[in-house]
Amino acid sequence: MQSQGKLYVVGIGPGCRELLTLKAEEVLKGADYVIGHKRYLDFIRDVVVGKIVESGMGKEVERVKKAIGLVEDGYVVCLVSGGDPSIYGLAPLVAEVIYRNGIEIDWEVVPGVSALNAASPLFGSAIAGDHAVISLSDLLTPWDIIERRLRKALEGDFVIALYNPSSRRRKSRLENAVEIIREYRGNCFVALARNVCRDGEEVMIVRLDEVAELADMHTLIIIPSSGTIVDGDQMITPRGYSEKYNLEV
Amino acid sequence: MQSQGKLYVVGIGPGCRELLTLKAEEVLKGADYVIGHKRYLDFIRDVVVGKIVESGMGKEVERVKKAIGLVEDGYVVCLVSGGDPSIYGLAPLVAEVIYRNGIEIDWEVVPGVSALNAASPLFGSAIAGDHAVISLSDLLTPWDIIERRLRKALEGDFVIALYNPSSRRRKSRLENAVEIIREYRGNCFVALARNVCRDGEEVMIVRLDEVAELADMHTLIIIPSSGTIVDGDQMITPRGYSEKYNLEV
């Protein structure tokens, strides 16, 4: 038991050991407790020396409260988040719980590589330059807000990364999103990256009308901008160099 | 000299050793050549065993061509990018040069932690949930496209991360952006993070009308959404848990 507790909210990257940061590896090794969802713990188990506490999907609030309680008892605790903790991870929930309850503990976020950073190069460079990041899950955000953001991102001609596109319960939301995208871009090409950096990694470029059938909750969908090059298995969003520089080699 | 060359486009994170990924450290150690801008090389010099080639700002095309030439000669080369190579880094340029010239070399992007992932927790959790990422640099993107994206992101009530807000040459673009933001959000609070994870790291929450004076090219600006809590030195964008769960501890 430590004399003084500390909470680390640790981004462990998209799903492979090699994309852990040096800092994440260090704090995972040094923690008394490492708390997270099974899916995220599996590839870091052998890094952890302390006690592992598995928690189920949808139990985020419980997990955060448990972690804070252990820190108050004097332990060093890592709360793990897939990808980066700010991007649909646990950092905002931890910050909110600490803020609303006026809790005084030592805590720190260890940023990580988000799924979009790992998915983009699987197609060449699908996401580049200005982009918008939207989750299609309406569990915490009302659908009208999600729809509005999707429309504005399409009107702004952003490259768009769609997280959490679908689950068995929410299949119809992805179908709604597909209809909205079609209004602006027709039956465009989109990139799908499933299980990025994990067993069963799969990437494909398909037409929009195939997406609802193919995407699941472990898929990241990339909607290209009007400037994006799509050719075979390549999706490349140029930064604009070719208009100012000679790119011939 | 290697029998077979390979190019790694390596994201080295926002500016400190500890946010390198394990993979980045490994490939930097193993490379014959490491090419990059001085600013990005400084904190990884002692990791590198091979030859370091420094290159100036604005010389990206030259740097990429040199790297490709060395790989064609059989060397293993790391081309370093600050943050993540897809997010305003070198990945899209490398992909475009290889694509347009039909070059056949072995190449791979090593994703990294982007500045926004490291900046967000410095305020609690400023960036969370859906967000838009926009560069204010009009060197490669025409200003009318940037302005349109900024307006659409504001209309969509995204949290917005503004990269490259200002330089001596482009001061007026930041002033233009401030005027646009004011139309939608008034003289709102914004978060500034300068030199994230580097010497001289500085964070502050200020009113919009102070931004043009305070932000420079090493500053990331975060514009909150309507749901973001701003209180003292905290900026927290809740995910929506408090409406569905009891967050009381």
Side-chain angles (χ1 to χ4, degrees):
Chain A
M1 184 161 166
Q2 305 285 317
S3 61
Q4 207 187 359
K6 179 159 182 176
L7 175 60
Y8 293 98
V9 186
V10 185
I12 57 171
C16 54
R17 270 292 285 285
E18 60 185 6
L19 291 181
L20 275 183
T21 62
L22 303 179
K23 173 93 181 231
E25 189 182 51
E26 182 198 313
V27 300
L28 287 169
K29 270 184 189 155
D32 298 310
Y33 287 89
V34 174
I35 305 177
H37 185 265
K38 186 178 178 303
R39 184 174 166 85
Y40 299 133
L41 291 170
D42 278 348
F43 73 93
I44 55 161
R45 270 178 212 282
D46 60 323
V47 180
V48 177
V49 178
K51 196 167 162 29
I52 287 180
V53 181
E54 286 189 20
S55 162
M57 196 57 89
K59 305 269 187 197
E60 294 90 358
V61 174
E62 203 177 280
R63 214 180 298 160
V64 167
K65 288 181 178 179
K66 184 175 177 63
I68 290 172
L70 286 165
V71 173
E72 287 175 331
D73 288 343
Y75 294 103
V76 175
V77 179
C78 285
L79 198 52
V80 306
S81 234
D84 174 70
S86 297
I87 312 306
Y88 309 117
L90 288 173
L93 177 58
V94 170
E96 190 180 0
V97 169
I98 287 174
Y99 172 77
R100 289 193 192 272
N101 292 284
I103 293 167
E104 292 191 1
I105 56 166
D106 189 11
W107 74 287
E108 182 182 342
V109 173
V110 180
V113 172
S114 184
L116 74 84
N117 306 109
S120 173
L122 301 178
F123 304 94
S125 191
I127 301 171
D130 305 333
H131 60 283
V133 184
I134 300 171
S135 166
L136 293 185
S137 169
D138 60 355
L139 293 176
L140 295 169
T141 306
W143 177 255
D144 60 330
I145 293 180
I146 298 170
E147 171 168 344
R148 183 192 168 108
R149 285 184 177 147
L150 180 58
R151 287 185 183 280
K152 295 300 175 183
L154 288 159
E155 289 168 13
D157 199 19
F158 286 92
V159 177
I160 305 169
L162 296 178
Y163 280 67
N164 308 313
S166 186
S167 71
R168 254 164 280 164
R169 281 181 305 182
R170 297 184 290 104
K171 198 80 189 169
S172 67
R173 289 314 186 192
L174 178 56
E175 286 162 6
N176 297 153
V178 162
E179 282 317 304
I180 293 164
I181 297 163
R182 191 196 306 272
E183 281 180 40
Y184 296 84
R185 305 274 173 94
N187 193 20
C188 64
F189 285 109
V190 301
L192 306 183
R194 182 189 287 149
N195 292 318
V196 175
C197 296
R198 295 173 197 266
D199 287 344
E201 180 179 280
E202 201 178 359
V203 297
M204 48 193 143
I205 293 176
V206 302
R207 290 283 183 181
L208 184 64
D209 62 9
E210 301 169 87
V211 169
E213 197 51 50
L214 294 168
D216 62 18
M217 64 182 295
H218 304 302
T219 307
L220 182 80
I221 303 178
I222 303 172
I223 318 287
S225 73
S226 64
T228 304
I229 298 165
V230 183
D231 187 2
D233 59 357
Q234 301 265 300
M235 183 177 282
I236 300 169
T237 303
R239 291 285 311 282
Y241 286 100
S242 67
E243 271 130 69
K244 301 218 164 175
Y245 297 88
N246 175 13
L247 299 190
E248 229 168 274
V249 174
Chain B
M1 183 163 168
Q2 305 286 318
S3 62
Q4 205 186 2
K6 177 158 183 177
L7 176 60
Y8 293 97
V9 186
V10 185
I12 57 171
C16 55
R17 270 292 286 283
E18 61 185 5
L19 292 182
L20 276 183
T21 62
L22 303 179
K23 172 92 180 231
E25 189 182 52
E26 183 198 312
V27 300
L28 288 168
K29 270 185 187 155
D32 299 309
Y33 287 88
V34 174
I35 305 177
H37 184 264
K38 185 178 178 303
R39 183 173 166 85
Y40 300 132
L41 291 170
D42 279 348
F43 73 94
I44 54 161
R45 269 177 213 283
D46 61 324
V47 181
V48 176
V49 178
K51 196 168 163 23
I52 287 180
V53 182
E54 286 189 20
S55 163
M57 196 58 90
K59 305 271 187 195
E60 294 90 355
V61 174
E62 204 176 278
R63 215 179 297 160
V64 167
K65 288 181 178 179
K66 184 175 178 63
I68 290 172
L70 285 165
V71 173
E72 286 175 332
D73 287 343
Y75 294 104
V76 175
V77 179
C78 285
L79 198 53
V80 305
S81 234
D84 174 71
S86 297
I87 312 304
Y88 309 117
L90 288 173
L93 178 58
V94 171
E96 190 179 0
V97 168
I98 287 175
Y99 172 77
R100 288 192 192 273
N101 292 284
I103 293 167
E104 293 189 1
I105 56 166
D106 189 10
W107 74 287
E108 182 182 343
V109 173
V110 179
V113 172
S114 185
L116 73 86
N117 306 110
S120 172
L122 301 176
F123 304 95
S125 190
I127 301 170
D130 304 335
H131 60 281
V133 184
I134 301 171
S135 166
L136 293 184
S137 169
D138 61 353
L139 293 176
L140 295 170
T141 305
W143 177 254
D144 60 329
I145 293 180
I146 299 170
E147 171 169 343
R148 182 193 169 110
R149 287 185 176 147
L150 180 57
R151 288 185 181 280
K152 295 299 175 183
L154 288 159
E155 289 168 12
D157 198 20
F158 286 92
V159 176
I160 305 168
L162 296 178
Y163 280 67
N164 308 312
S166 186
S167 73
R168 254 164 281 164
R169 280 181 305 180
R170 297 184 289 104
K171 197 81 189 168
S172 66
R173 288 316 186 191
L174 177 55
E175 286 161 7
N176 297 155
V178 163
E179 282 317 304
I180 293 163
I181 297 164
R182 192 195 307 272
E183 282 179 39
Y184 296 84
R185 305 273 173 96
N187 193 22
C188 63
F189 285 109
V190 301
L192 305 184
R194 183 189 287 148
N195 292 318
V196 176
C197 297
R198 294 172 197 268
D199 287 343
E201 179 179 280
E202 201 179 359
V203 297
M204 49 194 142
I205 294 176
V206 300
R207 289 281 183 184
L208 184 64
D209 62 8
E210 300 169 87
V211 169
E213 197 53 50
L214 293 168
D216 63 16
M217 64 182 293
H218 303 302
T219 306
L220 181 81
I221 303 178
I222 302 172
I223 317 288
S225 73
S226 64
T228 304
I229 298 165
V230 183
D231 186 1
D233 60 357
Q234 301 263 302
M235 183 177 281
I236 299 169
T237 303
R239 291 287 311 283
Y241 286 100
S242 68
E243 271 131 69
K244 300 219 164 174
Y245 297 88
N246 175 14
L247 298 190
E248 230 168 275
V249 175

